[in-house]
Amino acid sequence: MAGQSDPHPSLFSADEVEFVAEDEMIEIVPNMRMEPLNLLCGDYGPFFPQMVTKVPIWLAIALKKRGKCTIRPPPWMSIESLTQILESERESQESFQVLPFHYVEISRLLFDHARDDIPDVYMVRSLIEDIRDVRFHKVETSLESFEDARSSAVRIKNLSAMEVNIVRPFVGRALQAFYKHGSPDLIPNPERMSNSNANRWQQAPDQGQRVCYELMHGVILKSALYEKDKGFDNDTRHCSTQARSCYIRMLARKIVPVFFGSLF
Amino acid sequence: MYGRKGCQLVKEIASGEKEQLTPFNSDLFDQVIAECSQHYVELQALIRNMQEKGLDVQTSKNEDHFGALIHHLSLVRNKRCLTSYMYNRAEILRNLIWKVGPVLPQEILEKLSHFEKEYFKKHSASLKSYMSRIDLDLAVDMVPPKDPYIQVRVLDDIGEGIVLSDEKSVNFARHSMHLLKRTDAEQFIARGLMEELTG
Amino acid sequence: MANYFDIDDILAEEELVSVVFQKAVNGVGIDPSSETDSVEPGSKVELPFWLAHELHLRQIATVKLPPSFNQKTRLELGADAACVDLRSRCPYFYEFGCKIAPLVGDRDMGSFLLSAFKNRYQEVLAKAHTAAFAAASKFLNLLTKEETNLYEAAQSSMAAFKKWRIGGPRFQRAAVLGRKRKPTA
């Protein structure tokens, strides 16, 4: 119901969304020679000086921090492209321009770690902030139109990960309220009601939860194998296993309540 | 009576700040339990009344029956309030393991009842065995990691000779700065004994 | 479905409703106007919903529509929904409305609650992301518990995003430990 107490207001924290974004690929220009990296998440390299290659952002940042490469900002992060996007965002009140799903996180990561690799970094940064503001304002306006729709639904295309994450707790609750009050069986028959009272203690976990549990439990079993990979002295390789096992922990923690729930 | 006190107990949780634990109100808790006994006594008396009149307790619906029903409903209501109080506190307790770690600081221990301390201990133990069975420490990396090492400052005297995961012993004097394995530092920061330095 | 341990659900069921007893009841002190420990048929008593509900189902008492849902409130909400102080009328307006509707046989309750919520929802949405907390506090006093939770959900996710954008330490002292405690230097 709208506004029942909810211990998990947001499914993912901004840091977690950023972590997921670090798996997006980006181009780097190495300044060193290195054998290919065969990591859990894939094989990257070999690396040769001045030869452009594609790696996940987390790896690009790790190499950049150690002075081993420069990062090539993605094509959409140019003044021309951003100016055009901003204009189109402002022109159309309904639609959202197509931007990478993780544009908020990617741009922040690059501003933090590779600002010297981005031409006109200040301008680019302020353009992205403007775009984000315009878009978020539009999200709010679209959410207001819940009211007009008979179906209590709103369709917003091309939203990005962070934008979705910000409105998720609010929209989730609001939708629940709309559905609850809009549903025709607000007045249930008495028989069913007393049944539901009796069953309060033994509500079966719903299908979704079980599927989620099974999926994630599989992940955990695998992770035990992953952990054994640790202990390479290669710094970068170490980074990778570390990062992966964190992700697995993150998922694993989310299922612990389900796991123990079945014991009580 | 009639569920008032039980509701007060629940209100205490509702009015508390989010994620903050209030001291276990054993006073009010016991009062609600006493009320339950009182309701039970009165319920019994009404049923005896009916038996004395020679009525079938199962089927007759007279004023005594309805009175007994109200006492019964109040009992059930009190039970719901009591269990909800325990349940919601237990939920905060289970979260504490993730937020503060298996060793609780004094300021939190003070707020727990005897049974809650027991519960916390047992829950940490079963979590621990679960983690060793899957061969994975779930209590680290609560925030997605960036680097394996982070810079920290010690805020409180933690003591000498603390052994870290790489089996080196460190002296954490107050205000000293260290470059630590992130997974080692995490718990100290959560307990407010260290802070992360950035920039 | 109601959740047995849910605090909001328990508190919503504590709302008082007035009932008229149809049967006599012995041995209970719930009627303040009665001198003995009994209730006469026809007595009007204010009871918490959880009790009134069960008595109503067993036809021991009949529930009357609470004033929070009377015609006057409906007219006020129809005129300017966002300005009506619902909290002082009933802190769990929507939840309680849903619970009371089947008892009083009010088939319009759903659509009434829905339109009230729709109209007030916009205001919550607009205030949650833009207004400063001080400016919003007057408005917040008008909101029901359900609306407040909605407002806080929007506020906290926006605040979390802003915090992430600014950056800073990623690891922090557990919030549950309280805010005090400056290490004595």
Side-chain angles (χ1 to χ4, degrees):
Chain A
M1 155 65 208
Q4 292 293 287
S5 35
D6 177 3
H8 311 291
S10 190
L11 195 54
F12 296 105
S13 71
D15 283 321
E16 286 168 348
V17 177
E18 180 189 283
F19 184 80
V20 175
E22 285 172 358
D23 280 341
E24 296 290 311
M25 302 297 278
I26 197 162
E27 287 184 346
I28 59 164
V29 186
N31 55 21
M32 75 333 183
R33 190 179 286 269
M34 189 163 78
E35 293 292 296
L37 289 168
N38 307 113
L39 305 175
L40 301 169
C41 46
D43 300 332
Y44 308 108
F47 302 90
F48 299 106
Q50 306 315 316
M51 294 278 281
V52 175
T53 182
K54 273 195 163 184
V55 294
I57 291 180
W58 63 264
L59 181 57
I61 290 173
L63 292 172
K64 170 85 186 167
K65 270 189 184 167
R66 291 162 180 77
K68 307 263 190 222
C69 72
T70 54
I71 295 178
R72 281 196 160 185
W76 56 268
M77 265 180 83
S78 66
I79 290 191
E80 304 76 61
S81 151
L82 290 171
T83 316
Q84 199 207 330
I85 289 175
L86 181 59
E87 262 169 36
S88 326
E89 290 286 4
R90 283 191 172 135
E91 260 163 36
S92 156
Q93 277 312 303
E94 283 79 41
S95 67
F96 289 77
Q97 297 304 305
V98 183
L99 271 166
F101 187 53
H102 289 292
Y103 83 95
V104 181
E105 305 90 298
I106 293 176
S107 58
R108 155 124 202 246
L109 283 166
L110 296 187
F111 293 144
D112 279 3
H113 299 286
R115 45 177 40 244
D116 51 333
D117 293 341
I118 306 168
D120 312 304
V121 62
Y122 288 103
M123 191 63 194
V124 167
R125 188 184 191 132
S126 90
L127 277 170
I128 289 186
E129 268 170 31
D130 287 349
I131 291 174
R132 207 191 52 222
D133 288 346
V134 174
R135 284 170 65 99
F136 199 77
H137 188 74
K138 277 201 278 194
V139 174
E140 286 190 342
T141 326
S142 334
L143 289 180
E144 275 175 27
S145 68
F146 260 142
E147 201 231 359
D148 313 319
R150 287 188 67 85
S151 57
S152 290
V154 58
R155 188 192 171 95
I156 309 177
K157 266 170 95 175
N158 297 333
L159 267 196
S160 79
M162 196 56 91
E163 287 156 355
V164 172
N165 205 49
I166 292 173
V167 294
R168 192 196 323 263
F170 177 84
V171 173
R173 280 161 185 270
L175 268 182
Q176 267 180 316
F178 282 134
Y179 287 148
K180 177 160 183 177
H181 303 314
S183 115
D185 34 287
L186 186 59
I187 304 188
N189 60 49
E191 202 175 302
R192 216 175 65 207
M193 251 178 62
S194 54
N195 275 346
S196 73
N197 273 347
N199 287 336
R200 271 174 179 171
W201 276 96
Q202 23 187 312
Q203 281 171 32
D206 61 278
Q207 190 69 20
Q209 229 176 17
R210 204 161 41 223
V211 170
C212 153
Y213 165 75
E214 279 167 11
L215 265 178
M216 291 192 176
H217 200 65
V219 175
I220 294 179
L221 294 179
K222 259 196 218 153
S223 76
L225 302 176
Y226 285 178
E227 279 285 290
K228 300 226 159 56
D229 266 9
K230 224 151 64 174
F232 286 97
D233 44 12
N234 183 324
D235 194 12
T236 320
R237 211 170 282 212
H238 185 65
C239 255
S240 155
T241 27
Q242 283 258 328
R244 289 308 90 196
S245 63
C246 149
Y247 185 56
I248 285 148
R249 279 194 189 101
M250 223 161 78
L251 295 175
R253 270 196 296 271
K254 288 187 202 287
I255 71 121
V256 165
V258 185
F259 182 78
F260 279 95
S262 59
L263 296 181
F264 293 136
Chain B
M1 294 290 276
Y2 309 103
R4 298 265 154 74
K5 285 237 166 82
C7 184
Q8 260 178 39
L9 204 55
V10 174
K11 265 190 193 142
E12 210 170 86
I13 288 205
S15 61
E17 264 182 84
K18 281 217 173 86
E19 291 187 48
Q20 297 291 317
L21 206 58
T22 48
F24 185 82
N25 195 339
S26 56
D27 205 31
L28 191 55
F29 198 86
D30 291 345
Q31 285 181 38
V32 180
I33 299 216
E35 261 191 33
C36 289
S37 314
Q38 182 63 26
H39 279 301
Y40 184 66
V41 168
E42 293 190 22
L43 188 149
Q44 290 286 327
L46 285 163
I47 289 186
R48 230 174 296 124
N49 237 353
M50 290 173 78
Q51 284 164 339
E52 277 161 21
K53 286 180 199 159
L55 294 168
D56 180 3
V57 179
Q58 299 291 323
T59 53
S60 351
K61 304 248 186 285
N62 68 347
E63 60 270 31
D64 289 334
H65 168 86
F66 296 136
L69 174 73
I70 290 180
H71 284 296
H72 167 75
L73 291 172
S74 306
L75 256 169
V76 171
R77 172 74 176 177
N78 274 348
K79 178 178 154 196
R80 186 177 175 198
C81 292
L82 289 171
T83 47
S84 161
Y85 186 70
M86 295 304 287
Y87 178 89
N88 284 286
R89 286 178 63 89
E91 196 163 70
I92 302 179
L93 274 180
R94 289 198 300 276
N95 275 328
L96 279 178
I97 298 191
W98 303 116
K99 287 178 181 150
V100 199
V103 183
L104 293 180
Q106 193 55 32
E107 57 170 302
I108 288 188
L109 281 176
E110 281 165 7
K111 296 176 177 169
L112 305 183
S113 74
H114 168 67
F115 294 107
E116 285 174 330
K117 285 179 203 159
E118 279 300 298
Y119 174 71
F120 184 82
K121 247 186 250 162
K122 284 187 184 154
H123 188 70
S124 333
S126 49
L127 254 185
K128 209 175 143 199
S129 83
Y130 172 63
M131 288 189 226
S132 71
R133 205 164 43 187
I134 61 169
D135 196 16
L136 188 63
D137 183 1
L138 297 179
V140 294
D141 287 336
M142 296 306 290
V143 180
K146 292 282 179 192
D147 282 309
Y149 292 88
I150 57 171
Q151 185 86 34
V152 294
R153 177 173 29 225
V154 180
L155 294 176
D156 219 334
D157 274 320
I158 299 174
E160 291 176 33
I162 289 180
V163 181
L164 298 174
S165 57
D166 49 6
E167 276 152 38
K168 272 187 215 134
S169 160
V170 194
N171 179 14
F172 289 133
R174 186 185 292 170
H175 301 318
S176 57
M177 301 213 263
H178 305 268
L179 188 67
L180 291 186
K181 250 193 182 162
R182 187 189 65 245
T183 42
D184 285 335
E186 215 170 328
Q187 287 228 343
F188 290 111
I189 298 176
R191 279 154 61 196
L193 302 173
M194 291 182 181
E195 65 179 350
E196 187 194 1
L197 298 173
T198 50
Chain C
M1 192 189 293
N3 181 350
Y4 189 82
F5 296 115
D6 191 298
I7 288 180
D8 285 328
D9 195 64
I10 293 180
L11 294 181
E13 293 193 353
E14 194 68 17
E15 282 296 313
L16 293 179
V17 287
S18 49
V19 302
V20 181
F21 272 85
Q22 307 296 314
K23 305 265 166 61
V25 180
N26 251 355
V28 287
I30 50 174
D31 182 359
S33 65
S34 164
E35 278 160 23
T36 57
D37 267 358
S38 60
V39 186
E40 298 299 315
S43 317
K44 287 192 184 120
V45 185
E46 297 247 298
L47 291 180
F49 175 82
W50 57 267
L51 187 53
H53 175 223
E54 296 288 338
L55 298 183
H56 184 93
L57 289 184
R58 291 176 174 78
Q59 287 152 8
I60 302 168
T62 48
V63 168
K64 292 205 296 187
L65 187 72
S68 338
F69 300 97
N70 64 14
Q71 209 52 42
K72 187 163 161 275
T73 310
R74 292 188 191 211
L75 285 176
E76 274 179 55
L77 276 170
D80 194 355
C83 297
V84 181
D85 179 359
L86 279 185
R87 175 186 292 193
S88 65
R89 283 168 215 237
C90 177
Y92 292 93
F93 187 77
Y94 302 100
E95 195 59 16
F96 186 51
C98 292
K99 284 177 187 291
I100 203 90
L103 301 194
V104 293
D106 189 336
R107 299 212 158 265
D108 300 330
M109 185 67 89
S111 54
F112 161 61
L113 290 178
L114 185 63
S115 74
F117 181 75
K118 270 182 175 174
N119 292 328
R120 290 166 66 88
Y121 150 90
Q122 287 196 350
E123 203 69 11
V124 174
L125 174 71
K127 291 273 196 315
H129 289 142
T130 52
F133 188 74
S137 70
K138 200 176 146 214
F139 161 74
L140 281 179
N141 285 332
L142 308 177
L143 298 184
T144 72
K145 187 76 170 87
E146 298 96 330
E147 289 163 345
T148 312
N149 284 348
L150 190 63
Y151 174 85
E152 279 170 3
Q155 270 258 307
S156 70
S157 60
M158 195 51 163
F161 167 70
K162 285 186 174 151
K163 199 173 149 225
W164 170 81
R165 205 182 54 187
I166 293 164
R170 293 160 57 82
F171 297 93
Q172 280 178 341
R173 181 184 154 81
V176 70
L177 292 175
R179 279 174 228 100
K180 41 152 202 178
R181 246 174 74 138
K182 273 215 156 162
T184 42

